[in-house]
Amino acid sequence: GGSMTGIHESLEPVLIEEYSDKFELLVVEIKVAGKEVRIINGYGPQESWTNEEKMPFFVALEEEVSKARLEGKSIILELDANSKLGNKYFKDDPHTISPNGIVLSGIIDRHALIVANGLTQKCNGLITRKRSTVLRTEESIIDFVCISSDMMDCLVSIQVDENRNHVLTGFTKTKFGPKRHESDHNSIVTKFNLRWKKIVKPVKVEVFNFNNKDHQRMMVDPMLMIVLDLRSFLTAVTTTAVAPTAVIL
């Protein structure tokens, strides 16, 4: 397991907060199109856990959303929430709202967040987790992309990968060779129209090398710089004079 957020360096990413002791929640900030955007990535508690085990995650999640709003940041929330929100947000959700969903729904409503993969005009696909057993096939919507209202104009499209073209896949070594493990979650590909200027790193030019003996001597006696330059000049003149390819007419 584990949570990861990958961001291009041109977006000037900064790690704001990381929770990893009792639950997984990662908060990163980027700068793009004149916006400062907080990206919050997390893995929610299981429905079967006790309230004492579950609530620290939701408390931390709301705290981070609150901090982002108070600081005037835009928000992109990406969650494997292990929560079912029901038909309040998804017209064709196969499940009713769950206890975890009730808590998450409260956070969404209190902070006026938009469940982006619940927007039928923007989103293609519905089911985010599908697991087949001998007895039945389980389908649910427990993964969400939520955004602050100011990000709506930038939102282009969302694709829930029900065809599993981009499924997360792991491999383990066995005595019979590598074994493939596919996630039972469908990826959610969210596209925003946000322009930014790519930062070009300046080329480093060596002016002084502290490990070079001649450079070290220059620090002691600056006059050596003149002597070394003169030696280089004389060497170049001598080499030109005796070079077999040099022809003077």
Side-chain angles (χ1 to χ4, degrees), residues 176-189:
F176 303 107
K179 186 176 181 180
R180 179 188 179 99
H181 303 274
E182 290 190 353
S183 171
D184 55 3
H185 290 255
N186 296 329
S187 299
I188 303 176
V189 181

Side-chain angles (χ1 to χ4, degrees), residues 120-163:
T120 54
Q121 70 273 26
K122 295 282 189 178
C123 184
N124 290 317
L126 182 67
I127 301 301
T128 68
R129 180 177 181 267
K130 183 176 181 179
R131 187 176 71 150
S132 297
T133 65
V134 177
L135 299 176
R136 59 179 177 172
T137 297
E138 299 174 358
E139 294 185 341
S140 56
I141 306 169
I142 58 174
D143 304 275
F144 310 107
V145 175
C146 302
I147 59 176
S148 51
S149 58
D150 66 296
M151 295 294 292
M152 267 299 294
D153 291 339
C154 310
L155 180 63
V156 176
S157 65
I158 306 176
Q159 178 69 51
V160 179
D161 185 27
E162 292 184 314
N163 294 325

